[in-house]
Amino acid sequence: MPLIVQKYGGSSVADVERIKNVARRVVDAKDHGNDLVVVVSAMAGDTDRLLGLAAKISDAPNERELDVIVATGEQISIGLLSLAIQQLGHKARSFTGAQVRIQTDTAHTKARIVSVEVDRAQQALQEGAIVIVAGFQGVTAEEDVTTLGRGGSDLTAVAMAAALKADVCEIYTDVEGVYTADPNIVPEARKLEKISYDEMLELASLGAKVLQARSVEYAKNYTVPVHVRSSFNANQGTLVVQEDAEMERVVVSGIAYDRNEAKITVLRVADRPGIAAKLFGRVAEANIVVDMIVQNISQDGTTDISFTVPKSDFSKAMSLVNGVAKEIGAQQVMGDDRIAKVSIVGVGMRTHSGVAAQMFETLSRENINILMISTSEIKVSCVIDAKYGELAVRILHEAFGLAERRVVEEYA
Amino acid sequence: MPLIVQKYGGSSVADVERIKNVARRVVDAKDHGNDLVVVVSAMAGDTDRLLGLAAKISDAPNERELDVIVATGEQISIGLLSLAIQQLGHKARSFTGAQVRIQTDTAHTKARIVSVEVDRAQQALQEGAIVIVAGFQGVTAEEDVTTLGRGGSDLTAVAMAAALKADVCEIYTDVEGVYTADPNIVPEARKLEKISYDEMLELASLGAKVLQARSVEYAKNYTVPVHVRSSFNANQGTLVVQEDAEMERVVVSGIAYDRNEAKITVLRVADRPGIAAKLFGRVAEANIVVDMIVQNISQDGTTDISFTVPKSDFSKAMSLVNGVAKEIGAQQVMGDDRIAKVSIVGVGMRTHSGVAAQMFETLSRENINILMISTSEIKVSCVIDAKYGELAVRILHEAFGLAERRVVEEYA
């Protein structure tokens, strides 16, 4: 019997009526002859409510205890969904992360999965039950409750699918799948039938919030086919799968767009070993995540370093970097939080040249100045003035012909 | 270092402010040189909220899943209390029933404790931490979450105290201790300094809701000294301990009063084997708990059987008994839900005679008619007309001299 792992997020189980809807959907899949493992998040709002209670007691709550508190959200969801499925006349059995069992390291609030045991889940499946698993949570070797970080329920679903060798891991969301660009910006954006793990990883890390990045990595490592689809209808969504020859012939699969970063430039830094380490060491100590880093070639023994940080950390980062700049004898620090990052992503870039050039040319045709460039094997990102962000997404979508499903040979 | 187990109920942890109060109280005991294990219930209202969610999905929810849902209430409390204690600069570590570990049978929603392991709690104590334990919950050998029934947190506290050989188990409540009678009825009622397990058991089962009856049994079996005291002040409450010679010299320790029963009488039942079994078998099948049963001597080969049931089950019981009465050829069924049960309790009765007689005489002096009588070794209960209930409690309190702490010799 085919085995499907389904994952429903907090908004899909936000209240009793929606939980009943999920139950009907699950039972429908079961009635079509599948074994079912269902991973659920906490009811929307519950996690924030619990965090709020903890925040009333402590500004910096102990993370072990925070996990104990927050993990109750998913535990409530699994019980309620099991009841709703049983009410429809099917067998269902709930499991917490500790029960199922998802063992993690001890990094509370952002634990990493160490191993997944599925004996109990498999036994329940053999008895004909639908297995309901609490997302987002695990347990240490010492039986302490852990959580996997925001979006961790995706990871739970993929990890269960990997351990059970499921035929597919279905992630139900409030969008129809993965698009060539944000349909709110590009009306012609097309839903992708399939996309490779690497492309999805780039899109996830570039701000397309359909799938948590770690869950995509995990799916890639265990070759779990992931189906991103809507919880509001039965339409096919987007399959995230291993790269194949056909995918490689598509040069650009999608355009990502991120308005949540700010740029900091340190001017005329002495170009000698240890300077960059000192600068970024300090930024890291302050728990500020740096995304792009660009350093130009040295002139007169000095160089300019530019990097981006989350907009929410911009002012904190600016005052920090101003301090470090003095220590390392830099001339000046400049900041800009009105920027946008536009990226083209596609595994086809590995085997096609001229893609970056076409991107730059497309932007320049509209007189859009490029402030920073960063590339990976399958991605080119440009930081530009925020006011041109949406225009850039639209013209790149057009230039790379993404509205049409087509295989581009011209770069070969 | 002395070891104290403290238990706080749902109203003591109803909100963040009260949780902080409990934390201060716990830390104060710790600062006085004690090791501390603290058992907490769910925040007041939380359990009902969770049961309400389940009830919206199913009229008869699966009890395994119900336990999964309801157990989250205590899990939230232990995390929050740990945070509050840590905020006061002390080490604290929370444990669910499964973690600590309280192993039970599989009777979900009313599980019985099979064994208590305390290795993890002991280790945490040795590390100087205050141990916080989720009340009301346990875990089966199969790792399924169970709950111990309403009032189960008392049982958790006593079981932890027994397993850890604690010096005392303090149960914090909204009353000052155990009184000779309900102070709302008898203004002169006196707080008892100490009371025996057996007396407490009779009082608990007779409706004095200070301590859950099963926890008293457990305390008796393991000789755990239980201190019932107020969570609002530091006054000494009542110690529930093993019977001693001094206690035996007190004939009556307290008066219990119960207005929540109704009486059913089956008239002129054939007096032959199997009739009572049939009648009460049917009542038990309907999950109606029968308290007192009185059967008079046979006349003309028939007898009358009277018994009491909870008032909430009265109409259900009446229609059921009417049916059975026809089958067994009884003449008539009479019901009365305007009754009260007044009981005198005291271990001294074991060795003193004439106590029941003095009770009957006291009631008759006020022309209070006795409808049913039932006795145990250390208790005499009388069912009377409801309208005389409070009067009966007052005159019995007076007659047995309970307002004064005194040892009565006159019955010897």
PDB file of all heavy atoms in Angstrom, chain A residues 58 62 64-65 68 75 86-87 93-94 99 120 142-144, chain B residues 56 58 62 64-65 68 75 86-87 93-94 99 120 142-144:
ATOM      1  N   SER A  58       9.771  35.948  32.155  1.00  0.00           N
ATOM      2  CA  SER A  58      11.212  36.150  31.980  1.00  0.00           C
ATOM      3  C   SER A  58      11.518  36.760  30.623  1.00  0.00           C
ATOM      4  O   SER A  58      10.925  36.390  29.611  1.00  0.00           O
ATOM      5  CB  SER A  58      11.918  34.788  32.120  1.00  0.00           C
ATOM      6  OG  SER A  58      13.271  34.908  31.762  1.00  0.00           O
ATOM      7  N   ASN A  62      14.746  30.337  30.138  1.00  0.00           N
ATOM      8  CA  ASN A  62      15.532  29.121  29.952  1.00  0.00           C
ATOM      9  C   ASN A  62      14.949  28.320  28.788  1.00  0.00           C
ATOM     10  O   ASN A  62      13.757  28.058  28.731  1.00  0.00           O
ATOM     11  CB  ASN A  62      15.451  28.311  31.257  1.00  0.00           C
ATOM     12  CG  ASN A  62      16.137  26.971  31.164  1.00  0.00           C
ATOM     13  OD1 ASN A  62      15.652  26.076  30.484  1.00  0.00           O
ATOM     14  ND2 ASN A  62      17.263  26.832  31.824  1.00  0.00           N
ATOM     15  N   ARG A  64      15.321  25.199  27.766  1.00  0.00           N
ATOM     16  CA  ARG A  64      14.776  23.864  28.036  1.00  0.00           C
ATOM     17  C   ARG A  64      13.315  23.984  28.471  1.00  0.00           C
ATOM     18  O   ARG A  64      12.448  23.257  27.990  1.00  0.00           O
ATOM     19  CB  ARG A  64      15.582  23.165  29.131  1.00  0.00           C
ATOM     20  CG  ARG A  64      15.012  21.790  29.490  1.00  0.00           C
ATOM     21  CD  ARG A  64      15.703  21.191  30.719  1.00  0.00           C
ATOM     22  NE  ARG A  64      15.204  19.857  31.005  1.00  0.00           N
ATOM     23  CZ  ARG A  64      14.114  19.605  31.723  1.00  0.00           C
ATOM     24  NH1 ARG A  64      13.387  20.584  32.222  1.00  0.00           N
ATOM     25  NH2 ARG A  64      13.727  18.356  31.945  1.00  0.00           N
ATOM     26  N   GLU A  65      13.050  24.922  29.384  1.00  0.00           N
ATOM     27  CA  GLU A  65      11.686  25.070  29.891  1.00  0.00           C
ATOM     28  C   GLU A  65      10.774  25.655  28.820  1.00  0.00           C
ATOM     29  O   GLU A  65       9.599  25.303  28.728  1.00  0.00           O
ATOM     30  CB  GLU A  65      11.675  25.941  31.147  1.00  0.00           C
ATOM     31  CG  GLU A  65      12.524  25.390  32.301  1.00  0.00           C
ATOM     32  CD  GLU A  65      12.102  23.996  32.749  1.00  0.00           C
ATOM     33  OE1 GLU A  65      10.927  23.635  32.565  1.00  0.00           O
ATOM     34  OE2 GLU A  65      12.966  23.261  33.268  1.00  0.00           O
ATOM     35  N   VAL A  68       9.542  22.899  26.793  1.00  0.00           N
ATOM     36  CA  VAL A  68       8.511  22.129  27.513  1.00  0.00           C
ATOM     37  C   VAL A  68       7.151  22.795  27.313  1.00  0.00           C
ATOM     38  O   VAL A  68       6.140  22.135  27.061  1.00  0.00           O
ATOM     39  CB  VAL A  68       8.853  22.050  29.025  1.00  0.00           C
ATOM     40  CG1 VAL A  68       7.654  21.569  29.834  1.00  0.00           C
ATOM     41  CG2 VAL A  68      10.056  21.141  29.251  1.00  0.00           C
ATOM     42  N   GLN A  75       0.973  19.100  20.783  1.00  0.00           N
ATOM     43  CA  GLN A  75       0.383  17.948  21.462  1.00  0.00           C
ATOM     44  C   GLN A  75      -1.142  18.065  21.494  1.00  0.00           C
ATOM     45  O   GLN A  75      -1.861  17.075  21.367  1.00  0.00           O
ATOM     46  CB  GLN A  75       0.958  17.841  22.880  1.00  0.00           C
ATOM     47  CG  GLN A  75       0.608  16.519  23.552  1.00  0.00           C
ATOM     48  CD  GLN A  75       1.383  16.299  24.860  1.00  0.00           C
ATOM     49  OE1 GLN A  75       2.533  16.723  24.986  1.00  0.00           O
ATOM     50  NE2 GLN A  75       0.756  15.637  25.805  1.00  0.00           N
ATOM     51  N   GLN A  86     -11.194   9.773  14.189  1.00  0.00           N
ATOM     52  CA  GLN A  86     -11.964   8.686  14.799  1.00  0.00           C
ATOM     53  C   GLN A  86     -13.463   8.944  14.652  1.00  0.00           C
ATOM     54  O   GLN A  86     -14.246   8.024  14.443  1.00  0.00           O
ATOM     55  CB  GLN A  86     -11.587   8.545  16.276  1.00  0.00           C
ATOM     56  CG  GLN A  86     -10.193   7.955  16.472  1.00  0.00           C
ATOM     57  CD  GLN A  86      -9.662   8.157  17.879  1.00  0.00           C
ATOM     58  OE1 GLN A  86     -10.286   8.828  18.698  1.00  0.00           O
ATOM     59  NE2 GLN A  86      -8.501   7.581  18.161  1.00  0.00           N
ATOM     60  N   GLN A  87     -13.839  10.222  14.762  1.00  0.00           N
ATOM     61  CA  GLN A  87     -15.244  10.593  14.627  1.00  0.00           C
ATOM     62  C   GLN A  87     -15.762  10.232  13.230  1.00  0.00           C
ATOM     63  O   GLN A  87     -16.944   9.984  13.047  1.00  0.00           O
ATOM     64  CB  GLN A  87     -15.389  12.103  14.890  1.00  0.00           C
ATOM     65  CG  GLN A  87     -16.789  12.582  15.141  1.00  0.00           C
ATOM     66  CD  GLN A  87     -17.370  12.038  16.447  1.00  0.00           C
ATOM     67  OE1 GLN A  87     -16.683  11.446  17.255  1.00  0.00           O
ATOM     68  NE2 GLN A  87     -18.674  12.215  16.608  1.00  0.00           N
ATOM     69  N   ARG A  93      -4.129   7.339  15.709  1.00  0.00           N
ATOM     70  CA  ARG A  93      -3.302   7.238  16.908  1.00  0.00           C
ATOM     71  C   ARG A  93      -2.291   8.373  16.874  1.00  0.00           C
ATOM     72  O   ARG A  93      -1.580   8.544  15.900  1.00  0.00           O
ATOM     73  CB  ARG A  93      -2.591   5.885  16.883  1.00  0.00           C
ATOM     74  CG  ARG A  93      -2.250   5.332  18.233  1.00  0.00           C
ATOM     75  CD  ARG A  93      -1.840   3.865  18.128  1.00  0.00           C
ATOM     76  NE  ARG A  93      -1.249   3.447  19.371  1.00  0.00           N
ATOM     77  CZ  ARG A  93      -1.926   3.095  20.458  1.00  0.00           C
ATOM     78  NH1 ARG A  93      -3.238   3.080  20.416  1.00  0.00           N
ATOM     79  NH2 ARG A  93      -1.306   2.753  21.566  1.00  0.00           N
ATOM     80  N   SER A  94      -2.266   9.160  17.944  1.00  0.00           N
ATOM     81  CA  SER A  94      -1.363  10.308  17.975  1.00  0.00           C
ATOM     82  C   SER A  94      -0.036   9.960  18.627  1.00  0.00           C
ATOM     83  O   SER A  94       0.031   9.081  19.490  1.00  0.00           O
ATOM     84  CB  SER A  94      -2.018  11.450  18.751  1.00  0.00           C
ATOM     85  OG  SER A  94      -2.025  11.161  20.127  1.00  0.00           O
ATOM     86  N   GLN A  99       7.434  10.301  21.537  1.00  0.00           N
ATOM     87  CA  GLN A  99       6.875   8.963  21.417  1.00  0.00           C
ATOM     88  C   GLN A  99       7.245   8.297  20.102  1.00  0.00           C
ATOM     89  O   GLN A  99       7.414   7.087  20.036  1.00  0.00           O
ATOM     90  CB  GLN A  99       5.344   9.020  21.558  1.00  0.00           C
ATOM     91  CG  GLN A  99       4.882   9.302  22.984  1.00  0.00           C
ATOM     92  CD  GLN A  99       3.389   9.548  23.074  1.00  0.00           C
ATOM     93  OE1 GLN A  99       2.756   9.982  22.109  1.00  0.00           O
ATOM     94  NE2 GLN A  99       2.815   9.278  24.229  1.00  0.00           N
ATOM     95  N   ARG A 120       7.083   2.332  16.406  1.00  0.00           N
ATOM     96  CA  ARG A 120       5.720   2.498  16.917  1.00  0.00           C
ATOM     97  C   ARG A 120       4.784   2.972  15.819  1.00  0.00           C
ATOM     98  O   ARG A 120       3.632   2.534  15.738  1.00  0.00           O
ATOM     99  CB  ARG A 120       5.690   3.499  18.073  1.00  0.00           C
ATOM    100  CG  ARG A 120       6.394   2.979  19.317  1.00  0.00           C
ATOM    101  CD  ARG A 120       5.975   3.780  20.518  1.00  0.00           C
ATOM    102  NE  ARG A 120       4.607   3.500  20.893  1.00  0.00           N
ATOM    103  CZ  ARG A 120       3.895   4.224  21.750  1.00  0.00           C
ATOM    104  NH1 ARG A 120       4.427   5.292  22.296  1.00  0.00           N
ATOM    105  NH2 ARG A 120       2.650   3.909  22.045  1.00  0.00           N
ATOM    106  N   GLU A 142      18.352  12.137  26.724  1.00  0.00           N
ATOM    107  CA  GLU A 142      18.022  12.227  28.149  1.00  0.00           C
ATOM    108  C   GLU A 142      16.531  12.421  28.405  1.00  0.00           C
ATOM    109  O   GLU A 142      16.136  12.782  29.516  1.00  0.00           O
ATOM    110  CB  GLU A 142      18.773  13.416  28.773  1.00  0.00           C
ATOM    111  CG  GLU A 142      20.270  13.331  28.707  1.00  0.00           C
ATOM    112  CD  GLU A 142      20.803  12.333  29.734  1.00  0.00           C
ATOM    113  OE1 GLU A 142      20.898  12.718  30.905  1.00  0.00           O
ATOM    114  OE2 GLU A 142      21.088  11.183  29.338  1.00  0.00           O
ATOM    115  N   GLU A 143      15.705  12.296  27.356  1.00  0.00           N
ATOM    116  CA  GLU A 143      14.249  12.433  27.474  1.00  0.00           C
ATOM    117  C   GLU A 143      13.783  13.874  27.680  1.00  0.00           C
ATOM    118  O   GLU A 143      12.657  14.109  28.130  1.00  0.00           O
ATOM    119  CB  GLU A 143      13.663  11.563  28.598  1.00  0.00           C
ATOM    120  CG  GLU A 143      14.008  10.089  28.519  1.00  0.00           C
ATOM    121  CD  GLU A 143      13.419   9.410  27.295  1.00  0.00           C
ATOM    122  OE1 GLU A 143      12.369   9.866  26.804  1.00  0.00           O
ATOM    123  OE2 GLU A 143      14.023   8.422  26.824  1.00  0.00           O
ATOM    124  N   ASP A 144      14.641  14.844  27.389  1.00  0.00           N
ATOM    125  CA  ASP A 144      14.192  16.233  27.457  1.00  0.00           C
ATOM    126  C   ASP A 144      13.482  16.600  26.156  1.00  0.00           C
ATOM    127  O   ASP A 144      13.908  16.208  25.070  1.00  0.00           O
ATOM    128  CB  ASP A 144      15.386  17.168  27.670  1.00  0.00           C
ATOM    129  CG  ASP A 144      15.873  17.142  29.110  1.00  0.00           C
ATOM    130  OD1 ASP A 144      15.052  16.831  29.994  1.00  0.00           O
ATOM    131  OD2 ASP A 144      17.061  17.415  29.341  1.00  0.00           O
TER     132      ASP A 144
ATOM    133  N   LYS B  56     -16.111  19.545  21.363  1.00  0.00           N
ATOM    134  CA  LYS B  56     -16.623  20.104  20.107  1.00  0.00           C
ATOM    135  C   LYS B  56     -16.425  19.133  18.952  1.00  0.00           C
ATOM    136  O   LYS B  56     -17.044  19.259  17.902  1.00  0.00           O
ATOM    137  CB  LYS B  56     -15.884  21.404  19.776  1.00  0.00           C
ATOM    138  CG  LYS B  56     -16.434  22.635  20.470  1.00  0.00           C
ATOM    139  CD  LYS B  56     -15.873  23.873  19.790  1.00  0.00           C
ATOM    140  CE  LYS B  56     -15.982  25.090  20.681  1.00  0.00           C
ATOM    141  NZ  LYS B  56     -15.134  26.192  20.197  1.00  0.00           N
ATOM    142  N   SER B  58     -16.095  15.516  19.507  1.00  0.00           N
ATOM    143  CA  SER B  58     -16.691  14.204  19.766  1.00  0.00           C
ATOM    144  C   SER B  58     -17.450  14.195  21.081  1.00  0.00           C
ATOM    145  O   SER B  58     -16.999  14.755  22.076  1.00  0.00           O
ATOM    146  CB  SER B  58     -15.580  13.142  19.803  1.00  0.00           C
ATOM    147  OG  SER B  58     -16.094  11.917  20.224  1.00  0.00           O
ATOM    148  N   ASN B  62     -12.220   9.423  22.377  1.00  0.00           N
ATOM    149  CA  ASN B  62     -11.285   8.362  22.723  1.00  0.00           C
ATOM    150  C   ASN B  62     -10.442   8.812  23.911  1.00  0.00           C
ATOM    151  O   ASN B  62      -9.864   9.905  23.895  1.00  0.00           O
ATOM    152  CB  ASN B  62     -10.404   8.108  21.495  1.00  0.00           C
ATOM    153  CG  ASN B  62      -9.312   7.101  21.745  1.00  0.00           C
ATOM    154  OD1 ASN B  62      -8.355   7.385  22.457  1.00  0.00           O
ATOM    155  ND2 ASN B  62      -9.447   5.929  21.162  1.00  0.00           N
ATOM    156  N   ARG B  64      -7.623   7.717  25.217  1.00  0.00           N
ATOM    157  CA  ARG B  64      -6.165   7.851  25.032  1.00  0.00           C
ATOM    158  C   ARG B  64      -5.850   9.245  24.486  1.00  0.00           C
ATOM    159  O   ARG B  64      -4.952   9.923  24.967  1.00  0.00           O
ATOM    160  CB  ARG B  64      -5.645   6.783  24.063  1.00  0.00           C
ATOM    161  CG  ARG B  64      -4.152   6.934  23.772  1.00  0.00           C
ATOM    162  CD  ARG B  64      -3.676   5.991  22.669  1.00  0.00           C
ATOM    163  NE  ARG B  64      -2.238   6.096  22.479  1.00  0.00           N
ATOM    164  CZ  ARG B  64      -1.626   7.003  21.703  1.00  0.00           C
ATOM    165  NH1 ARG B  64      -2.343   7.908  21.045  1.00  0.00           N
ATOM    166  NH2 ARG B  64      -0.321   7.031  21.595  1.00  0.00           N
ATOM    167  N   GLU B  65      -6.611   9.662  23.475  1.00  0.00           N
ATOM    168  CA  GLU B  65      -6.351  10.972  22.869  1.00  0.00           C
ATOM    169  C   GLU B  65      -6.728  12.101  23.824  1.00  0.00           C
ATOM    170  O   GLU B  65      -6.072  13.146  23.858  1.00  0.00           O
ATOM    171  CB  GLU B  65      -7.094  11.099  21.538  1.00  0.00           C
ATOM    172  CG  GLU B  65      -6.726  10.036  20.509  1.00  0.00           C
ATOM    173  CD  GLU B  65      -5.238  10.013  20.150  1.00  0.00           C
ATOM    174  OE1 GLU B  65      -4.576  11.053  20.271  1.00  0.00           O
ATOM    175  OE2 GLU B  65      -4.740   8.932  19.762  1.00  0.00           O
ATOM    176  N   VAL B  68      -3.869  12.704  26.001  1.00  0.00           N
ATOM    177  CA  VAL B  68      -2.803  13.430  25.285  1.00  0.00           C
ATOM    178  C   VAL B  68      -3.089  14.934  25.324  1.00  0.00           C
ATOM    179  O   VAL B  68      -2.198  15.750  25.565  1.00  0.00           O
ATOM    180  CB  VAL B  68      -2.725  12.944  23.816  1.00  0.00           C
ATOM    181  CG1 VAL B  68      -1.880  13.892  22.973  1.00  0.00           C
ATOM    182  CG2 VAL B  68      -2.169  11.525  23.752  1.00  0.00           C
ATOM    183  N   GLN B  75       1.717  20.446  31.736  1.00  0.00           N
ATOM    184  CA  GLN B  75       3.039  20.642  31.123  1.00  0.00           C
ATOM    185  C   GLN B  75       3.350  22.137  30.983  1.00  0.00           C
ATOM    186  O   GLN B  75       4.486  22.572  31.153  1.00  0.00           O
ATOM    187  CB  GLN B  75       3.080  19.927  29.764  1.00  0.00           C
ATOM    188  CG  GLN B  75       4.486  19.849  29.186  1.00  0.00           C
ATOM    189  CD  GLN B  75       4.573  18.938  27.971  1.00  0.00           C
ATOM    190  OE1 GLN B  75       3.846  17.945  27.858  1.00  0.00           O
ATOM    191  NE2 GLN B  75       5.446  19.267  27.043  1.00  0.00           N
ATOM    192  N   GLN B  86      13.543  30.194  38.300  1.00  0.00           N
ATOM    193  CA  GLN B  86      14.846  30.579  37.750  1.00  0.00           C
ATOM    194  C   GLN B  86      15.004  32.092  37.778  1.00  0.00           C
ATOM    195  O   GLN B  86      16.083  32.623  38.026  1.00  0.00           O
ATOM    196  CB  GLN B  86      14.985  30.044  36.323  1.00  0.00           C
ATOM    197  CG  GLN B  86      15.157  28.527  36.286  1.00  0.00           C
ATOM    198  CD  GLN B  86      14.944  27.945  34.904  1.00  0.00           C
ATOM    199  OE1 GLN B  86      14.527  28.647  33.975  1.00  0.00           O
ATOM    200  NE2 GLN B  86      15.200  26.659  34.754  1.00  0.00           N
ATOM    201  N   GLN B  87      13.905  32.793  37.527  1.00  0.00           N
ATOM    202  CA  GLN B  87      13.930  34.255  37.534  1.00  0.00           C
ATOM    203  C   GLN B  87      14.317  34.780  38.917  1.00  0.00           C
ATOM    204  O   GLN B  87      14.864  35.874  39.031  1.00  0.00           O
ATOM    205  CB  GLN B  87      12.540  34.765  37.108  1.00  0.00           C
ATOM    206  CG  GLN B  87      12.483  36.224  36.746  1.00  0.00           C
ATOM    207  CD  GLN B  87      13.258  36.530  35.459  1.00  0.00           C
ATOM    208  OE1 GLN B  87      13.705  35.635  34.751  1.00  0.00           O
ATOM    209  NE2 GLN B  87      13.426  37.809  35.197  1.00  0.00           N
ATOM    210  N   ARG B  93      14.053  22.619  37.498  1.00  0.00           N
ATOM    211  CA  ARG B  93      14.013  21.699  36.377  1.00  0.00           C
ATOM    212  C   ARG B  93      12.645  21.032  36.366  1.00  0.00           C
ATOM    213  O   ARG B  93      12.224  20.480  37.368  1.00  0.00           O
ATOM    214  CB  ARG B  93      15.106  20.642  36.567  1.00  0.00           C
ATOM    215  CG  ARG B  93      15.642  20.091  35.293  1.00  0.00           C
ATOM    216  CD  ARG B  93      16.919  19.297  35.570  1.00  0.00           C
ATOM    217  NE  ARG B  93      17.243  18.494  34.410  1.00  0.00           N
ATOM    218  CZ  ARG B  93      17.856  18.950  33.322  1.00  0.00           C
ATOM    219  NH1 ARG B  93      18.219  20.202  33.251  1.00  0.00           N
ATOM    220  NH2 ARG B  93      18.098  18.150  32.307  1.00  0.00           N
ATOM    221  N   SER B  94      11.962  21.117  35.232  1.00  0.00           N
ATOM    222  CA  SER B  94      10.607  20.563  35.166  1.00  0.00           C
ATOM    223  C   SER B  94      10.619  19.139  34.627  1.00  0.00           C
ATOM    224  O   SER B  94      11.487  18.771  33.843  1.00  0.00           O
ATOM    225  CB  SER B  94       9.741  21.438  34.257  1.00  0.00           C
ATOM    226  OG  SER B  94      10.107  21.231  32.906  1.00  0.00           O
ATOM    227  N   GLN B  99       8.436  11.827  32.207  1.00  0.00           N
ATOM    228  CA  GLN B  99       9.872  12.005  32.405  1.00  0.00           C
ATOM    229  C   GLN B  99      10.317  11.602  33.798  1.00  0.00           C
ATOM    230  O   GLN B  99      11.424  11.116  33.989  1.00  0.00           O
ATOM    231  CB  GLN B  99      10.241  13.479  32.161  1.00  0.00           C
ATOM    232  CG  GLN B  99      10.173  13.871  30.684  1.00  0.00           C
ATOM    233  CD  GLN B  99      10.367  15.358  30.473  1.00  0.00           C
ATOM    234  OE1 GLN B  99      10.066  16.167  31.338  1.00  0.00           O
ATOM    235  NE2 GLN B  99      10.882  15.720  29.315  1.00  0.00           N
ATOM    236  N   ARG B 120      15.799  10.469  38.004  1.00  0.00           N
ATOM    237  CA  ARG B 120      16.055  11.778  37.399  1.00  0.00           C
ATOM    238  C   ARG B 120      15.781  12.897  38.386  1.00  0.00           C
ATOM    239  O   ARG B 120      16.515  13.880  38.443  1.00  0.00           O
ATOM    240  CB  ARG B 120      15.173  11.970  36.159  1.00  0.00           C
ATOM    241  CG  ARG B 120      15.562  11.041  35.019  1.00  0.00           C
ATOM    242  CD  ARG B 120      14.997  11.547  33.722  1.00  0.00           C
ATOM    243  NE  ARG B 120      15.665  12.753  33.275  1.00  0.00           N
ATOM    244  CZ  ARG B 120      15.206  13.562  32.327  1.00  0.00           C
ATOM    245  NH1 ARG B 120      14.059  13.307  31.743  1.00  0.00           N
ATOM    246  NH2 ARG B 120      15.874  14.625  31.964  1.00  0.00           N
ATOM    247  N   GLU B 142       4.011   1.381  27.636  1.00  0.00           N
ATOM    248  CA  GLU B 142       4.109   1.593  26.186  1.00  0.00           C
ATOM    249  C   GLU B 142       4.350   3.047  25.818  1.00  0.00           C
ATOM    250  O   GLU B 142       4.188   3.427  24.649  1.00  0.00           O
ATOM    251  CB  GLU B 142       2.808   1.136  25.518  1.00  0.00           C
ATOM    252  CG  GLU B 142       2.480  -0.321  25.696  1.00  0.00           C
ATOM    253  CD  GLU B 142       3.339  -1.166  24.776  1.00  0.00           C
ATOM    254  OE1 GLU B 142       3.012  -1.245  23.587  1.00  0.00           O
ATOM    255  OE2 GLU B 142       4.341  -1.736  25.273  1.00  0.00           O
ATOM    256  N   GLU B 143       4.636   3.897  26.809  1.00  0.00           N
ATOM    257  CA  GLU B 143       4.903   5.322  26.584  1.00  0.00           C
ATOM    258  C   GLU B 143       3.664   6.140  26.216  1.00  0.00           C
ATOM    259  O   GLU B 143       3.773   7.235  25.683  1.00  0.00           O
ATOM    260  CB  GLU B 143       5.987   5.541  25.503  1.00  0.00           C
ATOM    261  CG  GLU B 143       7.300   4.837  25.738  1.00  0.00           C
ATOM    262  CD  GLU B 143       8.038   5.330  26.980  1.00  0.00           C
ATOM    263  OE1 GLU B 143       7.849   6.486  27.347  1.00  0.00           O
ATOM    264  OE2 GLU B 143       8.777   4.527  27.582  1.00  0.00           O
ATOM    265  N   ASP B 144       2.490   5.594  26.483  1.00  0.00           N
ATOM    266  CA  ASP B 144       1.284   6.394  26.252  1.00  0.00           C
ATOM    267  C   ASP B 144       1.030   7.293  27.461  1.00  0.00           C
ATOM    268  O   ASP B 144       1.199   6.874  28.612  1.00  0.00           O
ATOM    269  CB  ASP B 144       0.067   5.484  26.034  1.00  0.00           C
ATOM    270  CG  ASP B 144       0.057   4.879  24.642  1.00  0.00           C
ATOM    271  OD1 ASP B 144       0.631   5.512  23.733  1.00  0.00           O
ATOM    272  OD2 ASP B 144      -0.506   3.796  24.470  1.00  0.00           O
TER     273      ASP B 144
END
